[in-house]
Every structure is written in C-alpha cells, then in structure tokens.
Amino acid sequence: YSYAMLGQIYGIRGRHRQATRYFKLSRAMAEKLNRPGAMIFSSNAHIGYLAGTGALAPLTDMVSDSVDLSEIYGDRQDAETSWVLKSHVQYFSGQMESSIETAQLAIDSARERGNRQNEAQAEIAKARALIATGNFVVAVDSLNRVKSNLRGLSDLASELVCFGLLGLALIRQGKLGEARVEAMECLARCKSCEAVAFSTLHGYEAVAEVCLVLWQEARKQKSRYTKSLAEHAQHALSHLENFTSRFPVGRPSLILLKARRAIVSDDIRKAGKFLELAMTESRRVKIPYIEAQVVFELSRFAGTPPHLRNHYRTTAQDLFWRMRSQYFIDELAAAAKASRE
C-alpha cells in the first residue's frame, strides 16, 4: 500500500520515473505476499495515475483485470472502486452506454451498504456519460441526488464535479439562468480545491463550457453582464489549465475550449489554430468524444472552407452516432437543415 501511495504522490508531482518505479514495486510486493487486496489497490492506483497522464491505451485491459480480481477476491469497497474506474475508462474510449451500466453496478452496491461517498462518486461517473448521450433530465436527477449525498462529507472535489456537470446538463437544455447558478458554485470550489485525481477533469471542463456559452449569449444580447461573464470564462479556463499542468489528460479539452473562446471573441485565425491542435491532441490521447466535438466545431466554423463543411458534418455525425450522443446528432441535423434553407 505504501509503495502505491508513493507512486500516486510522485505522479501528482510530475516525477514519472519515480512513480512508475513505485507502482512496479507495489505490485511485485503484493504478488510476492499473495495479498489480493493489496494487488487491487496497487492496480487501481496505477490505473488512476496512467489515466491522469493521458496514457489511455493500456487501461481497458488493466481495468478489466482489476475488476475481475475485485469481484473474486476483494470486498465491496474494492469492487466499487474498480467499477467506477472502469466507467471512467469506458467514457474516455467512447463507450457511453457501457460506462453508464458499469457505474450503476457501483451505485447499487454502495447504496445497499450505505456508503454515501462511493455512491456519489459512482453517480457522478454515470451522470457524465448520461450528459454525453443527451439524457439531460436523468442526469440532473442523478446529480441532485449527489448533492444530497455529499452534504456533510467535506468532499470538495466531488462537489466541484457535481456542480460543473449539473451546470452543463442545464445549459444544454437551454436553462441559462439555472446553469449560471451551478457554474458559480463550481467556480467557488475551483478556487479552494486542489486537484488530486484525474476524474476532477469533468468538473473543470464542464464549468468552462458553461461559462463560454453564457458569455457568448450575453454578447449576442448585448447584456450588461457581458464583461463579468467573460471574466468568469477566463477564470474557468485558467482553472482547467492549472489542472492540465498536473493531469495532461485534460489537454485536448483545454485546447478545444480555447478554440471556442477564440470563436466567441471573433478571432478566426487563433480559433483555427486551436481547432487544428485540438484535433491532433484528441487523436493522440484517443478520446473520441473530444475528437467528435472538434469535428463538429469545424463543420460550423467560419474559417472552414465551404466544400469541407459537409465532410466534417458527416464525419462528426458518424462519430457521435457510434457513441449515441443524441444531443450533438440533433445539433448537426439542425445545422444541416439551416444550411439548406
């Protein structure tokens, strides 16, 4: 256990050679002593570390082994932790429906034994995939349960992600006022919460998207709140950038959101450069959900040559269809209809 925790500490500090060494030592010691619980802990810690670095390719097999080991030898705590990790890995690889199903296993187990924190963290994993598939009403219900479960637990990181995702689910339903309330709660926690886990990414990227949409709408309406909303968007992006300096898995999201900021600012040249870089990074790290959103932006980007927009629209539709991301499928259909009129 100590070696695995040292691996986590060195990983957070960016000392990757030492982190890798301690994870290897942890696994070797656990196997030598034939301690399944220690093997599971070591494996899950290593998976979390690799996910944070953006090394996602080997995680599918690793997390499947961890889940198998947990279900055979581990206790309920081990199984719930492994299921939530598997849900994260499935989300990153674009398997949204599987991510929801896996998270539900952890929710049911944690709820049965009254572990509110584990239940909340599993509900967050589920809600994040629900939002990706466009099931916003179900996601909002789930996240409101999380808010209730987190009361009195002093889990700022989970609160940050919960409020960020709740704001995102609301703004994608067009509920700007309610989304702004949740975004402000998330930003307040961004100031006081130190990122120590890769999964916090989903709160940082969600609140940044919400703030950018609010700023964009304020600009359209020539609202007196435009300046303050622009500042909120900048703060949200700064928090995400700080997170990414520790957990590089957030880099594709950060670059995509910087492209969206440039689009809102009418800086076409900068937006084009960021979109190109976001495409490269999302493919390098292998996060199809981000790649699909980049292609979606290119399909409606003012700097995209007209003859390429339909190609990007078709490509984005195919990517989103594979992930069952109904919200973006509908957005693409609406854009295609508007272009024909």
Side-chain angles (χ1 to χ4, degrees):
Y1 291 96
S2 297
Y3 284 144
M5 287 188 283
L6 282 168
Q8 289 175 312
I9 292 166
Y10 278 117
I12 289 171
R13 293 178 178 176
R15 298 173 66 177
H16 301 298
R17 185 173 61 82
Q18 291 92 335
T20 300
R21 176 172 175 266
Y22 279 113
F23 283 125
K24 287 181 178 178
L25 283 170
S26 173
R27 180 73 184 193
M29 184 65 72
E31 289 177 350
K32 182 179 180 180
L33 297 174
N34 195 25
R35 296 277 300 278
M39 283 186 245
I40 295 164
F41 182 86
S42 175
S43 178
N44 286 343
H46 195 193
I47 290 165
Y49 161 71
L50 290 173
T53 65
L56 303 179
L59 296 190
T60 299
D61 290 340
M62 287 179 68
V63 80
S64 293
D65 289 345
S66 182
V67 166
D68 290 345
L69 200 59
S70 299
E71 291 177 345
I72 296 170
Y73 296 108
D75 58 17
R76 298 278 283 277
Q77 176 71 27
D78 290 331
E80 288 156 20
T81 302
S82 299
W83 283 325
V84 170
L85 276 173
K86 185 174 182 179
S87 178
H88 285 302
V89 172
Q90 289 168 327
Y91 171 87
F92 280 129
S93 61
Q95 302 172 66
M96 302 305 176
E97 292 180 335
S98 296
S99 178
I100 292 166
E101 291 169 3
T102 303
Q104 189 64 51
L105 295 173
I107 292 166
D108 293 342
S109 175
R111 186 177 293 158
E112 184 179 305
R113 65 193 190 93
N115 189 317
R116 289 189 295 144
Q117 188 165 36
N118 277 17
E119 182 183 345
Q121 290 173 354
E123 284 270 22
I124 286 171
K126 177 183 175 181
R128 174 212 49 210
L130 285 167
I131 292 170
T133 56
N135 290 296
F136 304 129
V137 174
V138 182
V140 168
D141 287 344
S142 181
L143 290 165
N144 280 326
R145 283 195 298 273
V146 172
K147 285 167 73 171
S148 176
N149 278 331
L150 289 176
R151 288 194 187 103
L153 293 182
S154 299
D155 187 349
L156 273 181
S158 292
E159 289 180 10
L160 185 159
V161 182
C162 176
F163 284 115
L165 288 176
L166 194 48
L168 183 59
L170 290 165
I171 210 157
R172 287 190 179 175
Q173 294 178 84
K175 299 178 179 180
L176 274 63
E178 293 176 54
R180 183 177 180 180
V181 171
E182 304 300 338
M184 293 307 103
E185 291 285 354
C186 181
L187 283 176
R189 284 155 179 80
C190 287
K191 294 175 184 177
S192 55
C193 180
E194 182 182 7
V196 294
F198 76 91
S199 54
T200 324
L201 164 66
H202 307 296
Y204 288 111
E205 63 183 1
V207 73
E209 180 173 336
V210 171
C211 289
L212 284 168
V213 173
L214 291 170
W215 175 32
Q216 185 174 39
E217 290 302 313
R219 284 194 56 166
K220 288 179 184 177
Q221 302 298 325
K222 295 183 169 56
S223 167
R224 61 192 176 96
Y225 298 111
T226 301
K227 183 178 178 181
S228 64
L229 289 170
E231 290 172 353
H232 290 319
Q234 180 54 49
H235 291 153
L237 281 169
S238 295
H239 290 308
L240 177 56
E241 189 148 26
N242 289 337
F243 170 88
T244 300
S245 67
R246 180 172 283 185
F247 296 102
V249 70
R251 183 170 163 76
S253 293
L254 173 65
I255 300 169
L256 170 60
L257 290 163
K258 282 185 173 181
R260 287 177 175 166
R261 178 181 61 185
I263 290 169
V264 177
S265 302
D266 297 321
D267 192 335
I268 301 301
R269 184 184 62 83
K270 185 178 285 187
K273 287 185 175 180
F274 278 132
L275 285 172
E276 183 179 343
L277 184 55
M279 178 73 80
T280 300
E281 282 296 293
S282 62
R283 287 176 172 172
R284 181 185 66 81
V285 181
K286 294 181 174 59
I287 306 180
Y289 186 53
I290 301 300
E291 179 189 348
Q293 290 182 69
V294 175
V295 179
F296 171 65
E297 289 295 344
L298 286 167
S299 75
R300 60 180 184 173
F301 176 50
T304 299
H307 68 282
L308 287 177
R309 288 180 190 168
N310 189 58
H311 162 71
Y312 285 130
R313 191 178 297 126
T314 303
T315 302
Q317 186 173 33
D318 180 55
L319 288 168
F320 285 126
W321 181 253
R322 291 181 205 171
M323 293 179 280
R324 304 297 187 264
S325 298
Q326 192 61 47
Y327 168 77
F328 283 107
I329 292 169
D330 292 343
E331 288 287 297
L332 283 161
K337 181 180 179 181
S339 68
R340 291 193 298 268
E341 292 176 351

